Every structure is written in structure tokens, then in C-alpha cells.
Amino acid sequence: MSFKFFEKDGELSISRGALPHWYQPGVTYFVTFRTEDSVPGDLVRAWHAERQAWLRWHRIDPSSGDWNIEVERSPELEREYHERFTRRFMEYLDRSLGECVLRDPRMSQIVADSLRSFDGTRYHLGDFVVMPNHVHVLVCLIGASQIEAVCSSRKHFTASKINRLLARRGRFWQEESFDHLARSAERFRRFQQYIAENPAKAGLPAGSFLLHSLPHQNIH
């Protein structure tokens, strides 16, 4: 098993929903998906509005599919962006807002088993953690697998099983996921560290999360 990283001169496509999604075949992603009630809507809307204003202030078009490239051209700008927006959103998630269904070991196990089911076929599965209202996972795509399709499949499958177990209907996961291309071995290790430390940072007691770490990984 090997984990490969983004190549700036390699094949790249960008799609947009509320978030931009970059696709490059055969590379590694850090993915975050969250339950529908994990962050209140007014908080999300305020976060998006502030981010758009911040981008415009720096003369970056927030409607452009490649605004990430503009941010990342400046290490200082990129650092400020992640401090103001990425880190803050992750802190929202760590407040364990909403019903936090995934705190139940039966529910978190459904998610874990689902992630493992495509390991070695559609992706190589790395470290992951199932938190009370969100999931962080490292995956390296295999062949023509696309990150959006993989996320959509896993969310649909787990939502169906969890809703059935809870005898309910309705959307369980937020429609879009955060997916970040791993650009280097250093960033890959930072993602690993974030996953490993996330439960403690969120103040979660044992039994309220599910953590999976691989002891040995080949990094290229």
C-alpha cells in the first residue's frame, strides 16, 4: 500500500458546489464529512459570508473554481486562511453540537465498516476517526475512482443503515464534504496527527469515538 500526493503538473479537474473540489487520479485526500445537524445553519452562512468577504478583500474571486490556487501562492495568505476558516470550522464540529448519533458505538461501527469495505478496491484506506457528529479520513484513490463519488457512496450507504436502525427517515449527512488534497509527506503526517489528536482536543471520553490508525504506511 502506498500513499501518493498531488502533482502540480499532473492531470487536474475542478468542480464546484458550495465548495470547490479538486480531482487528480491516484492521489491522497483528507476528507471530512459531517452530520446534517452538526453545525447550525446560521453559523455556516455567517462563515461562508465572512470567507467570501475575506477573499474579495484580497482581490480573489470567491466564485472562481481555482481560488484555492490564489490563496496558496502566498504562504502567509494560506496560513491566515486556514487559521481563520479551516481551523474555526473544525472547532465548530468539535463542539459536538446536534444529536451526535455517532457517539453510539453501533453507529460509529457502521461508518468504520463502510470505510473498510472499499479498502484495496476503490482506495487505500489510511487513518480515520469517527467523532460524535463528523468523520475525518485519509484515503488514496485507486484507478479512476473519484473522491466525490466515493464520499457520496459511503454517505448514502451509512445513512440508510443508520436511519433504518433508528427507525427514521431524512437526510443524515450534510450533502457536501470537505476534501483536501495531500500535497506532501509533511502534510500527510499533519493530517495523521490531527486525526489521532482530535478526540482528546474535543474532550471526548473513551467509548464516544472510534479511532483507526495504520502503524506503517508507504509515503511517496
Side-chain angles (χ1 to χ4, degrees), residues 150-180:
V150 165
C151 290
S152 178
S153 169
R154 295 304 80 199
K155 288 194 292 186
H156 177 76
F157 178 79
T158 54
S160 296
K161 291 200 70 171
I162 291 171
N163 278 341
R164 191 179 309 119
L165 194 60
L166 295 174
R168 62 172 62 168
R169 295 182 179 181
R171 191 163 73 176
F172 181 77
W173 299 107
Q174 182 68 23
E175 184 174 354
E176 285 200 277
S177 306
F178 289 89
D179 49 72
H180 300 274

Side-chain angles (χ1 to χ4, degrees), residues 124-136:
H124 295 304
L125 179 63
D127 304 48
F128 67 84
V129 61
V130 183
M131 301 285 281
N133 63 2
H134 66 283
V135 178
H136 297 302

Side-chain angles (χ1 to χ4, degrees), residues 32 34 38-39 89-96 133-134:
T32 299
R34 62 187 180 89
S38 58
V39 181
F89 201 91
M90 296 304 179
E91 288 174 348
Y92 292 161
L93 293 179
D94 288 342
R95 294 177 186 176
S96 294
N133 63 2
H134 66 283

